Amino acid sequence: MAKYIVKYGRDDRVKFISHLDFVRCFHRAVRRSALNFEFSQGFNPHPVMTIAQPLPVCVTSESEYMKVGFVTELSENEIKDELNRSMPPGFTVYAVRRVEGKEIDLTKINRAEYITEVECNGFCDAKELLSEKELVVPKKTKSGIKDSDIRPYIFDIQSLDFTDGILTLKMTVACGNEYNLKPETVVAAMEKYIDGFCYTFCASHRKKMLINNSEVM
């Protein structure tokens, strides 16, 4: 069996698709393709795949990762081209890399970089958040909505631009199995802790996923 890491993304056309819907979409793409994927055993065989970190609904991305297996070794470009042919519009495969063992361990991903556009009442310096000792806001968890201090999980944030009522932010936050922080939760903290800041809507794009400070591939 040959293992590969696939780097892919999704745009506005498919940003409302849930994680489970994407998995089903990928399963169908596999069956449309001419690639000899590795399948699980049993009554309901499906492609063997591991997705790094599910992308929230309404978020676009250019930096998603999954590990897949093939029965035989294939050309990286062949896999990329065939997946792009088989996937529906809105999904793009950017790169494919052959790996050995845990050469790239997707479970180690712990940070993500986002570009977030916020419809708000004016420019503010998002770096003000970093001067706070704690940022306690409601956060959705598996056991319900609870107050959580998100300050330790914001590694960097900056205001890039304010045009036509839209504030553009760049932020690096926790992302992974240990803690996952959504950009909209950070924007909610801005409204609570930055005087005079008020927003009505935000939309995010995941630019990178990182293991510490290094991009996965």
Side-chain angles (χ1 to χ4, degrees):
M1 300 296 178
K3 300 293 183 182
Y4 295 80
I5 300 292
V6 177
K7 179 181 181 180
Y8 64 99
R10 72 183 188 190
D11 62 28
D12 284 314
R13 291 172 290 179
V14 290
K15 68 180 181 180
F16 296 110
I17 291 179
S18 71
H19 174 64
L20 290 178
D21 285 337
F22 168 72
V23 171
R24 287 190 283 266
C25 173
F26 186 76
H27 286 182
R28 289 193 291 269
V30 165
R31 288 176 168 85
R32 283 194 297 267
S33 78
L35 301 171
N36 57 347
F37 276 84
E38 177 187 358
F39 277 75
S40 63
Q41 303 299 311
F43 293 105
N44 184 29
H46 56 270
V48 176
M49 57 188 289
T50 303
I51 296 177
Q53 183 65 31
L55 190 67
V57 174
C58 296
V59 178
T60 57
S61 177
E62 61 190 80
S63 187
E64 302 306 294
Y65 297 92
M66 73 168 77
K67 180 180 281 189
V68 294
F70 296 93
V71 175
T72 59
E73 187 167 343
L74 300 169
S75 158
E76 294 167 345
N77 285 334
E78 178 186 359
I79 296 170
K80 183 182 77 169
D81 292 344
E82 184 63 17
L83 284 177
N84 278 323
R85 186 193 66 80
S86 303
M87 293 290 285
F91 294 102
T92 302
V93 174
Y94 297 107
V96 176
R97 178 173 165 183
R98 172 82 158 88
V99 293
E100 296 288 346
K102 289 193 174 182
E103 178 185 347
I104 297 178
D105 188 350
L106 298 181
T107 67
K108 300 295 185 183
I109 290 174
N110 57 3
R111 299 184 181 195
E113 179 185 298
Y114 293 91
I115 298 295
T116 299
E117 294 184 335
V118 185
E119 186 179 64
C120 60
N121 61 333
F123 177 84
C124 77
D125 185 0
K127 276 191 175 294
E128 289 184 31
L129 283 183
L130 301 182
S131 64
E132 300 285 345
K133 291 184 178 180
E134 63 177 18
L135 298 167
V136 179
V137 292
K139 185 177 184 296
K140 187 176 181 181
T141 67
K142 292 181 179 179
S143 56
I145 297 176
K146 296 182 178 180
D147 284 343
S148 177
D149 178 15
I150 65 171
R151 177 61 189 89
Y153 307 104
I154 303 173
F155 305 111
D156 188 43
I157 185 169
Q158 54 185 300
S159 300
L160 299 180
D161 180 63
F162 182 73
T163 303
D164 297 330
I166 302 296
L167 177 66
T168 302
L169 304 173
K170 177 182 177 182
M171 66 179 80
T172 303
V173 297
C175 173
N177 296 328
E178 291 187 10
Y179 198 93
N180 189 55
L181 182 57
K182 295 181 179 180
E184 56 262 37
T185 306
V186 178
V187 176
M190 289 174 60
E191 185 172 57
K192 180 177 179 180
Y193 286 90
I194 297 179
D195 289 341
F197 177 75
C198 180
Y199 81 101
T200 53
F201 176 78
C202 66
S204 296
H205 178 79
R206 191 143 73 186
K207 290 284 292 182
K208 299 177 182 178
M209 282 205 283
L210 309 162
I211 299 175
N212 298 323
N213 291 316
S214 299
E215 197 166 359
V216 176
M217 62 179 260

